[in-house]
Amino acid sequence: MKIGLFGGTFNPIHYGHLRGAEEVREYFYFDKIIFIPAGIPPLKGSNAIEGYHRLKMTALAIKDNPYFEVSDYEIQLQEPSYTVNTINYFKKLYEGHALWFIIGVDSFLELPRWHKPQELLRMIDFIVMSRPDSDKVEYKLENCEFIENKQSEDIFNIKNSEKKVYYIRITPLCISSTMLREKIKNNESIRYLLPEQVIDYIKKNNLYRSI
Ligand code: ATP
């Protein structure tokens, strides 16, 4: 099987995530895409809604897509969820299968701040999705040597690595979880930016009011 691992805070999940995963699945012929909501996101910890709710919202959002799955692996952990550990876990779980890590270009550019970024780039192939608000970033797509972000040059210079970084231009959907949380706080409509079931869940559980 060809499996895509899609990690994120999903606080909350929205059509940017869902459409991106769908386009990646179709383009790269994935058999399965596993959404992995982060437990205690090391870089975003303070303003994330409880893992349990993010997991539930993700499950609701993907339930009609037979290619999509959600994993509670990171949510169940009591410690910060480092991606290296998660990838090791899934590599063992799906031994003999082809695993890829799916990520948005904004997060990919933050990789130098992650735990053991070099190791990460050596352990799994990456699929990097475009994001509409990151089009000012200059990058060479073929070899993933970033020309703008000097600080990350060494990290992304993986020309000789056996692992690959693929870049895919997806339909630009200018939606972010931050934007949604802001709208909720301001009592603005969030309809058509994320699945209706997720909106219902947010309302029923009165999420994000106090964030
Ligand atoms: P926040 O606004 O809280 O930072 P976010 O909308 O970026 O959240 P995350 O849960 O951090 O959502 O995203 C998980 C992954 O999905 C990241 O790699 C991110 O780059 C990617 N992603 C999020 N929104 C989009 C989008 N609209 N288009 C493409 N990729 C996206």
Side-chain angles (χ1 to χ4, degrees):
M1 269 201 300
K2 205 169 159 183
I3 301 168
L5 304 176
F6 186 21
T9 319
F10 303 124
N11 181 26
I13 190 161
H14 52 70
Y15 282 134
H17 300 126
L18 293 162
R19 182 65 204 170
E22 178 68 358
E23 289 187 22
V24 166
R25 180 197 67 74
E26 193 177 35
Y27 189 83
F28 289 92
Y29 300 101
F30 278 110
D31 297 293
K32 197 199 296 235
I33 297 208
I34 306 176
F35 289 66
I36 313 165
I40 311 161
L43 299 179
K44 289 191 183 183
S46 56
N47 68 346
I49 203 93
E50 216 183 303
Y52 169 82
H53 289 306
R54 290 183 287 108
L55 182 68
K56 281 273 178 195
M57 290 188 283
T58 307
L60 283 171
I62 63 156
K63 75 172 170 20
D64 294 329
N65 189 327
Y67 295 102
F68 288 177
E69 267 182 27
V70 61
S71 164
D72 65 355
Y73 172 72
E74 289 200 353
I75 299 281
Q76 296 293 349
L77 290 178
Q78 295 306 311
E79 58 214 50
S81 38
Y82 292 123
T83 305
V84 256
N85 302 339
T86 303
I87 291 172
N88 272 327
Y89 166 80
F90 280 98
K91 275 184 139 182
K92 274 189 205 126
L93 189 67
Y94 289 104
E95 223 182 316
H97 297 273
L99 293 189
W100 305 59
F101 193 74
I102 302 166
I103 190 169
V105 68
D106 57 315
S107 308
F108 187 66
L109 289 170
E110 279 196 355
L111 220 65
R113 292 172 58 213
W114 290 27
H115 186 60
K116 300 189 179 164
Q118 302 273 16
E119 194 176 320
L120 209 57
L121 285 164
R122 277 194 298 267
M123 69 198 298
I124 193 161
D125 293 312
F126 274 69
I127 293 177
V128 180
M129 301 183 291
S130 61
R131 243 187 124 156
D133 48 1
S134 58
D135 54 3
K136 286 191 196 82
V137 180
E138 274 185 72
Y139 34 78
K140 279 194 228 161
L141 304 182
E142 266 169 36
N143 53 16
C144 280
E145 248 186 328
F146 288 77
I147 48 182
E148 183 84 330
N149 193 344
K150 292 267 186 284
Q151 181 215 346
S152 18
E153 237 168 39
D154 288 340
I155 302 280
F156 295 119
N157 188 358
I158 52 164
K159 266 196 270 184
N160 299 322
S161 160
E162 78 238 47
K163 293 295 171 198
K164 297 199 165 38
V165 178
Y166 292 91
Y167 184 85
I168 173 170
R169 262 183 224 285
I170 57 165
T171 305
L173 291 176
C174 201
I175 308 171
S176 72
S177 301
T178 306
M179 172 223 259
L180 295 176
R181 293 194 301 274
E182 280 302 310
K183 284 191 181 295
I184 294 167
K185 261 189 261 172
N186 298 333
N187 263 319
E188 291 170 37
S189 166
I190 53 170
R191 275 192 95 178
Y192 312 120
L193 297 171
L194 70 170
E196 207 63 33
Q197 297 100 310
V198 179
I199 300 180
D200 290 344
Y201 187 91
I202 290 172
K203 279 189 194 146
K204 245 185 232 147
N205 293 280
N206 203 17
L207 305 181
Y208 302 108
R209 294 288 168 204
S210 52
I211 285 181

